[in-house]
Amino acid sequence: MSSPSPSEKWNAIKLAPDDTVATALSALDLDTTPRISGGDAGQAPVVVEPIPRGHKFALADIAAGATVFKYGAPIGIATEDIRSGAHVHLHNLEGFAGKEARREQRA
């Protein structure tokens, strides 16, 4: 009997213990609990809204103004309170890369 492939074992990834978001490796449906691979996956949240493949979701509640971490690096600031299991994207995250690009455009 062969072992399950990684895609059958996991449908999300977290690389570092301090990550506050994980990335969906496949689309995640509402009210599902992702199977998270990687750095101290810990307790996975229940998904509170559909998460598209390749997008981020909160691993715990994130307060507005908090730094968001992905793959062990800060990627931006939460622009509003984000519930555990919620989609994290442009509507609730001010990315550091986007902020720098806008600063350069104004200069």
Side-chain angles (χ1 to χ4, degrees):
M1 179 185 250
S2 64
S3 298
S5 71
S7 64
E8 293 170 328
K9 288 186 192 178
W10 308 296
N11 57 4
I13 189 168
K14 171 187 172 186
L15 291 185
D18 293 336
D19 286 350
T20 54
V21 296
T23 302
L25 299 175
S26 60
L28 302 174
D29 294 325
L30 174 69
D31 292 329
T32 60
T33 301
R35 297 176 314 278
I36 301 173
S37 168
D40 186 33
Q43 191 71 15
V46 173
V47 172
V48 297
E49 59 188 302
I51 309 296
R53 178 179 179 262
H55 285 239
K56 301 172 291 299
F57 60 93
L59 293 169
D61 290 342
I62 301 172
T67 300
V68 176
F69 290 85
K70 176 181 172 185
Y71 302 155
I75 61 167
I77 301 292
T79 58
E80 59 188 59
D81 289 342
I82 304 171
R83 291 189 312 159
S84 178
H87 188 204
V88 178
H89 201 55
L90 302 174
H91 65 285
N92 56 12
L93 177 71
E94 173 77 29
F96 291 139
K99 210 175 204 180
E100 186 62 32
R102 284 189 298 285
R103 192 175 303 134
E104 289 174 8
Q105 286 175 348
R106 284 181 274 193

